[in-house]
Amino acid sequence: FAVDGALRMQHLIQDILAYSRVSTGGRPLDPVDSGAALKEALALLASRIAETGAEVNAQPLPIVRADRGQLVQLLQNLIGNAIKFCKDRAPRVQVAAHREAGRWRFSVSDNGIGIAPEYRERIFGIFHRLHTRREFPGTGIGLAICKRIVERHGGEIGVESEQDGGSVFWFTLPQEENT
């Protein structure tokens, strides 16, 4: 019990540090190949993808103005959640981006458990969990980190979902000037 509590506390401290470093530890926003950032995120998730039999597909992704490390973390968190919150079937994840009013709108779609409408905004708050740790492990900070990263980049984040109907997490990033 004590070891389990200590491990949970260690993960919580690491996630709080990651959350605080989004603003203070960020690098300058430079042109970044978001397709290469996706490949890096998928490499970090490789063991979880293999364990679950997840299938992750992506359309060609654009060059954006971003902090490369934070973009990798954003994609890793969203795809990791898509895999984690899929029960009783192999996760299917689709990553796409399209231009929209001078910015890029990215989407991460899944076939997971979905989110009831009344919880859509709440999930982006720090420590806001919809499930017990026993049902789904985690600290409740991952989506708050995603929101903070997107806001640092001048974008927005949201979700479209129905309970038991999968989810589409989306975020926007400024368009690189020459694309």
Side-chain angles (χ1 to χ4, degrees):
F1 179 77
V3 170
D4 184 49
L7 286 173
R8 279 197 322 269
M9 184 62 70
Q10 181 182 17
H11 290 222
L12 184 60
I13 290 168
Q14 288 170 344
D15 283 353
I16 290 170
L17 283 171
Y19 180 79
S20 71
R21 287 182 182 140
V22 169
S23 298
T24 61
R27 294 195 166 163
L29 306 185
D30 291 317
V32 173
D33 178 348
S34 56
L38 173 64
K39 285 181 185 175
E40 191 174 333
L42 292 176
L44 293 167
L45 292 166
S47 64
R48 196 169 344 160
I49 289 170
E51 284 170 11
T52 60
E55 181 181 309
V56 181
N57 294 303
Q59 296 177 353
L61 298 177
I63 304 292
V64 293
R65 194 159 219 31
D67 174 327
R68 180 183 172 83
Q70 288 184 349
L71 182 57
V72 169
Q73 183 177 17
L74 173 62
L75 292 166
Q76 181 182 355
N77 283 4
L78 293 176
I79 295 166
N81 277 356
I83 293 168
K84 178 177 18 176
F85 291 102
C86 188
K87 277 186 151 179
D88 305 324
R89 61 184 166 258
R92 301 289 173 253
V93 183
Q94 178 69 38
V95 181
H98 68 273
R99 286 180 203 242
E100 176 183 273
R103 59 189 186 169
W104 286 101
R105 182 180 168 117
F106 287 77
S107 62
V108 178
S109 308
D110 66 51
N111 64 335
I113 62 173
I115 302 161
E118 63 266 27
Y119 299 119
R120 288 187 194 149
E121 286 304 313
R122 180 178 173 214
I123 61 172
F124 293 103
I126 194 165
F127 304 126
H128 287 203
R129 297 178 51 94
L130 301 182
H131 307 279
T132 66
R133 279 189 307 275
R134 190 166 280 152
E135 289 176 293
F136 295 101
T139 59
I141 299 178
L143 288 175
I145 291 172
C146 290
K147 182 176 182 180
R148 200 153 190 194
I149 289 171
V150 169
E151 288 174 347
R152 176 178 178 252
H153 286 74
E156 299 173 79
I157 189 167
V159 63
E160 298 161 8
S161 182
E162 295 296 328
Q163 188 83 36
D164 299 320
S167 299
V168 178
F169 280 85
W170 58 267
F171 62 92
T172 60
L173 294 176
Q175 183 175 309
E176 177 57 22
E177 290 85 16
N178 299 325
T179 60

